[in-house]
């Protein structure tokens, strides 16, 4: 029951983009088309779960025993960058079609602050390994949900008559704010 609560909180109530405001750059930059949003979301789910698994192990089997927790942020950044590069190389060799489909999204994940933020939050919340990976996967799915919703709305907005001064980022920011308010409605769900 506790895991279901964590999933619902991470997916909807405490959505990483709409409630915690992590990952705003890719959220606004990649959410022009639903198809590209789905590609980015799939890549984020994979990398965030893998990064959380590795950073958890490093935190509890390297940083904590050596009493160098102050190195957490820089270590996690290096691990995430390394993992993204390894995943990119492996996909390029073993699954070229998937590599082509993901395109620029894998390198973009390196700079996604949501990946680092969730890895640090999972440690701070003192989750065990399985709960940490479930939490990060649900958070990444919530990121994908917000990204796809935003892309769908932006595609529809292109078909409507928006005043010239509101086109582009202004209407995107207003839309993101309204989405955030809509997700806040789920706050008392769990």
């Amino acid at each position: 029951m506790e895991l279901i609560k964590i999933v619902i909180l991470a997916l909807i109530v405490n959505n990483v983009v709409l409630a915690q405001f992590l990952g705003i750059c890719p959220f606004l930059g990649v959410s022009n088309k639903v198809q590209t949003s789905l590609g980015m979301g799939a890549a984020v789910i994979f990398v965030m779960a893998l990064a959380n698994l590795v950073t958890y192990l490093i935190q509890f089997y390297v940083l904590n025993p050596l009493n160098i927790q102050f190195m957490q942020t820089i270590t996690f950044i290096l691990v995430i960058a390394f993992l993204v590069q390894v995943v990119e190389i492996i996909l390029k060799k073993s699954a070229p079609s998937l590599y082509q489909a993901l395109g620029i999204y894998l390198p973009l994940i390196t700079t996604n602050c949501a990946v680092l933020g969730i890895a640090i939050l999972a440690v701070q919340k003192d989750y065990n390994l399985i709960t940490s990976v479930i939490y990060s996967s649900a958070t990444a799915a919530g990121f994908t949900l917000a990204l796809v919703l935003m892309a769908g709305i932006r595609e529809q907005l292109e078909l409507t008559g928006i005043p010239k001064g509101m086109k582009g980022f202004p209407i995107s920011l207003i839309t993101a704010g309204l989405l955030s308010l809509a997700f806040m409605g789920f706050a008392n769900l769990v």
Side-chain angles (χ1 to χ4, degrees):
M1 190 64 182
E2 186 66 26
L3 288 178
I4 293 171
K5 182 179 177 183
I6 289 171
V7 168
I8 291 171
L9 284 171
L11 189 64
I12 299 171
V13 178
N14 295 327
N15 187 284
V16 69
V17 176
L18 301 174
Q20 298 178 22
F21 306 113
L22 292 172
I24 295 291
C25 291
F27 176 70
L28 292 173
V30 184
S31 64
N32 292 328
K33 303 253 182 266
V34 172
Q35 192 65 30
T36 57
S37 295
L38 285 171
M40 178 66 166
V44 167
I45 290 171
F46 180 72
V47 170
M48 197 178 285
L50 183 63
N52 204 278
L53 173 71
V54 174
T55 55
Y56 178 90
L57 294 173
I58 288 173
Q59 178 71 37
F60 288 99
Y61 294 107
V62 177
L63 298 178
N64 287 353
L66 295 175
N67 200 23
I68 54 172
Q69 294 89 345
F70 62 91
M71 297 288 292
Q72 179 188 56
T73 303
I74 191 71
T75 304
F76 284 13
I77 290 171
L78 292 173
V79 166
I80 291 165
F82 175 76
L83 283 174
V84 169
Q85 292 302 313
V86 168
V87 167
E88 189 174 9
I89 290 168
I90 290 171
L91 285 178
K92 193 174 189 178
K93 300 242 185 230
S94 64
S97 60
L98 181 59
Y99 175 77
Q100 290 287 340
L102 291 176
I104 190 73
Y105 304 126
L106 275 174
L108 280 176
I109 294 170
T110 305
T111 61
N112 188 344
C113 61
V115 179
L116 174 63
I118 296 308
I120 291 173
L121 283 172
V123 170
Q124 287 177 350
K125 292 179 184 224
D126 203 28
Y127 288 149
N128 63 30
L129 181 61
I130 293 170
T131 306
S132 178
V133 172
I134 290 171
Y135 168 70
S136 65
S137 300
T139 301
F143 177 84
T144 304
L145 174 66
L147 200 63
V148 170
L149 284 172
M150 182 68 161
I153 293 170
R154 285 178 78 173
E155 283 182 359
Q156 289 298 314
L157 285 173
E158 287 181 15
L159 303 174
T160 62
I162 299 172
K164 193 180 268 187
M166 292 298 292
K167 288 188 178 188
F169 278 113
I171 195 68
S172 297
L173 292 173
I174 290 170
T175 304
L178 292 172
L179 267 175
S180 181
L181 286 172
F183 273 62
M184 282 177 60
F186 295 105
N188 292 326
L189 181 68
V190 180

